[in-house]
Amino acid sequence: DPYLHTAAYNNLLYATANGYRGPHTPVLFQFGITSHDSLQSAKRTRTAFSSTQLLNLEKEFSRNSYLTRIRRIELAQSLDLSEKQVKIWFQNRRVKQKKLLMSPSRADEAMDRTEPSANIDNPP
């Protein structure tokens, strides 16, 4: 098998021998990441959106939960974000929306905790 003599196969052997698992294991070694410490430092930091950015993203989401590529580019430029950041924010926001819609009892419970009780039949 010609694959047995490739660099990718050798990287996979090295990776699995050193405890790494998963479909992207060989990629780590192509970038020279050979230890767990290097892997941790290679992770991207979490984006902290400003309140203005969040407000504009939420406004756009309320109009349309899916963006065209053109609109994503425009929004990214206007908010000083990358296209990828906008794309991922919308993906995450759709997941959040789906979770909220899937569990209406949780939403009701949250509303009950934030609104004062107005039960006339059984006053406190």
Side-chain angles (χ1 to χ4, degrees):
D1 188 354
Y3 179 71
L4 297 177
H5 303 289
T6 64
Y9 179 75
N10 290 333
N11 286 340
L12 181 61
L13 284 179
Y14 181 80
T16 53
N18 287 294
Y20 293 101
R21 301 288 185 267
H24 303 294
T25 300
V27 174
L28 297 174
F29 296 97
Q30 291 173 10
F31 291 104
I33 298 172
T34 56
S35 73
H36 184 67
D37 294 334
S38 309
L39 180 60
Q40 292 297 327
S41 63
K43 284 187 175 181
R44 186 186 58 77
T45 58
R46 182 181 175 136
T47 302
F49 295 101
S50 72
S51 55
T52 305
Q53 289 170 329
L54 287 173
L55 181 65
N56 286 309
L57 288 165
E58 287 289 350
K59 279 182 186 176
E60 188 69 30
F61 185 82
S62 70
R63 284 185 225 125
N64 194 354
S65 59
Y66 287 88
L67 295 176
T68 63
R69 176 134 193 276
I70 301 292
R71 184 63 189 133
R72 186 172 67 231
I73 292 168
E74 293 170 351
L75 192 58
Q77 287 176 347
S78 71
L79 298 176
D80 196 28
L81 295 169
S82 70
E83 274 185 75
K84 189 173 185 178
Q85 288 171 313
V86 173
K87 181 180 100 173
I88 299 298
W89 186 91
F90 269 79
Q91 287 175 345
N92 290 340
R93 186 61 179 82
R94 285 191 297 271
V95 170
K96 181 180 177 180
Q97 182 75 10
K98 184 177 178 181
K99 284 181 183 178
L100 290 171
L101 294 174
M102 294 297 278
S103 62
S105 62
R106 286 187 181 179
D108 291 342
E109 289 171 9
M111 290 300 288
D112 289 343
R113 279 183 260 137
T114 57
E115 292 179 9
S117 176
N119 191 343
I120 297 171
D121 296 328
N122 297 319

